[in-house]
Amino acid sequence: MSPKITGTDVCSLSSAVFDLVPRDHHKCKSRWKYPSWFRIQQTDVLEKIILQGHHNLAKFSRYSRSSGTPYRKPCIPETSTYTPMYTQPSTFSPGRKKALLIGINYKGQRHELRGCNNDIRNIFPWLINQWGYRPCDIIQLTDDGRNPLPTRHNILDRMHRLASDARAGDSMFLHFSGHGSQIRDLDGDEVDGYDEVICPVDFEESGVITDDEIHEIMVKPLAAGSRLTALFDSCHSGTVLDLPYIYDSRERKFVHGVAPGARNRKQSQAQVVCFSGCGDSEESESVTLPGQSIGGLMTFAFIHVFDRKQTLTFQSGFEQICAFVRAALPDANQQPQYSCSNPLDSSLPFYI
């Protein structure tokens, strides 16, 4: 279950609460400061943080979702902007709704996590109750003994099934909660020179899954008029779907997310939107919030923000996700990311 929402509006919150030191979101040197335009909704979790201070939450278990595999943090060159020309598909899709949920704790392994299976248990009812997904249309891969194992073979197979069966009007949801890392880019599509990867439960034997593979299976073959919304709560996941446009929170606009030579081939005839727990050079945290079992901070934020009666736009929803993450864990090396396959009108209502 997500944190309960109160009706209080905190547009007038004291600036002292969020008067933090500015952070360079690529170099991750220090903390963000809220822009003057930022507005968030009050929640009971935020109330506790504001009243008690985030140090009260320091009692929780906190884990990074990095596989521990060493990687070199690159210097990311400045990106260029573009002019949006893409028309978003119909908000209320008349087609089928299908989802693939992947949670991996790596139990008994050297880099064991806690909370990733809990993320799936939280997302599953949220999809059903909030967005009308049928239980029989939601595939779950977890390593808690309740579902098929999230091995490399099983993940790729379920991804292929989900994407290849898509047709116009369909809505699909993909959630990965587990370890992420980076390896050197070999095909020149990355701005920073590194591919992002996710780690199956058997990654030490079978290998990781690269962003190139995920894009080829989950993004490229999607039918025109279909939509895919992805949520990655893992380290180094900023551009894990290799989508050509990524949202710049400072400038409040999309910029290029892949190298110039890859922009055309990384687009899709479907609408693909990805919410990632952190930037490519950052780490996503597992935390225990008040009244909750341990889980991914990004997953908590995503469910909480979009689990409400009011209609949110893509942009306002993403901004509130960022607000939740920063309020819950101000010292985290974690800035959520938001990317898409085509120029997206972020002022339109969020829908999955």
Side-chain angles (χ1 to χ4, degrees):
M1 298 294 291
S2 61
K4 294 181 180 179
I5 302 162
T6 67
T8 309
D9 187 336
V10 293
C11 293
S12 59
L13 272 178
S14 169
S15 60
V17 175
F18 298 114
D19 190 15
L20 306 178
V21 181
R23 163 181 280 174
D24 181 327
H25 69 287
H26 288 318
K27 297 182 179 179
C28 310
K29 289 183 177 178
S30 54
R31 301 175 184 171
W32 274 89
K33 180 179 180 180
Y34 273 170
S36 60
W37 47 263
F38 214 100
R39 297 292 183 269
I40 59 175
Q41 298 294 319
Q42 179 71 311
T43 68
D44 59 347
V45 171
L46 291 179
E47 284 175 347
K48 291 182 180 180
I49 296 169
I50 293 167
L51 294 175
Q52 302 174 7
H54 80 274
H55 295 293
N56 179 66
L57 298 182
K59 299 176 182 177
F60 55 49
S61 300
R62 175 174 168 180
Y63 299 88
S64 166
R65 294 188 168 188
S66 172
S67 65
T69 304
Y71 76 101
R72 295 173 185 170
K73 182 177 176 182
C75 179
I76 303 177
E78 187 174 343
T79 54
S80 57
T81 60
Y82 76 101
T83 303
M85 298 183 65
Y86 179 66
T87 301
Q88 183 181 6
S90 173
T91 300
F92 302 104
S93 171
R96 303 167 299 173
K97 293 186 173 185
K98 296 188 176 183
L100 172 59
L101 312 180
I102 306 165
I104 315 175
N105 281 344
Y106 311 90
K107 186 175 181 180
Q109 298 187 36
R110 180 175 47 171
H111 304 294
E112 183 173 347
L113 291 174
R114 296 170 57 198
C116 295
N117 290 319
N118 289 338
D119 290 343
I120 303 309
R121 298 186 193 111
N122 291 333
I123 281 284
F124 183 79
W126 176 81
L127 287 172
I128 297 169
N129 299 327
Q130 185 73 14
W131 297 101
Y133 282 68
R134 299 189 306 171
C136 61
D137 291 326
I138 303 176
I139 298 174
Q140 301 178 75
L141 300 177
T142 59
D143 58 351
D144 58 0
R146 302 184 181 187
N147 301 291
L149 278 173
T151 61
R152 189 178 196 279
H153 174 271
N154 285 346
I155 291 175
L156 293 177
D157 177 66
R158 289 347 185 251
M159 284 183 173
H160 176 75
R161 292 186 191 182
L162 184 66
S164 62
D165 189 41
R167 59 194 183 205
D170 287 355
S171 294
M172 291 150 286
F173 184 80
L174 170 66
H175 182 202
F176 176 80
S177 181
H179 277 310
S181 191
Q182 290 184 310
I183 60 175
R184 189 172 296 278
D185 172 37
L186 300 179
D187 65 357
D189 64 336
E190 297 287 347
V191 174
D192 60 5
Y194 288 84
D195 278 329
E196 285 64 53
V197 304
I198 60 173
C199 301
V201 69
D202 60 343
F203 76 96
E204 292 186 338
E205 297 80 26
S206 302
V208 297
I209 300 174
T210 69
D211 52 5
D212 294 328
E213 292 177 282
I214 300 173
H215 184 94
E216 287 296 313
I217 295 173
M218 285 296 303
V219 178
K220 196 171 183 179
L222 291 177
S226 63
R227 79 175 76 234
L228 168 66
T229 304
L231 171 62
F232 281 82
D233 200 342
S234 52
C235 294
H236 317 298
S237 56
T239 60
V240 71
L241 280 191
D242 263 359
L243 301 179
Y245 307 110
I246 190 165
Y247 189 72
D248 186 321
S249 297
R250 290 181 171 181
E251 299 295 328
R252 301 186 75 191
K253 62 184 178 182
F254 284 101
V255 297
H256 288 303
V258 296
R263 288 168 191 165
N264 289 335
R265 62 186 171 91
K266 291 296 184 178
Q267 292 190 7
S268 173
Q269 55 188 349
Q271 175 191 289
V272 183
V273 177
C274 182
F275 293 88
S276 304
C278 62
D280 287 343
S281 61
E282 298 174 345
E283 297 182 344
S284 291
E285 300 279 0
S286 294
V287 300
T288 301
L289 297 180
Q292 304 290 320
S293 298
I294 187 170
L297 179 55
M298 180 63 180
T299 301
F300 279 132
F302 190 84
I303 293 175
H304 178 66
V305 167
F306 290 120
D307 186 23
R308 51 188 62 198
K309 303 300 181 182
Q310 69 181 43
T311 300
L312 294 174
T313 65
F314 282 89
Q315 179 171 310
S316 64
F318 175 68
E319 290 169 355
Q320 291 185 34
I321 286 172
C322 293
F324 186 102
V325 169
R326 295 170 195 164
L329 207 58
D331 63 343
N333 178 20
Q334 178 172 358
Q335 169 64 18
Q337 303 293 313
Y338 158 42
S339 56
C340 58
S341 58
N342 296 281
L344 178 70
D345 184 352
S346 291
S347 66
L348 293 177
F350 173 82
Y351 183 82
I352 60 175

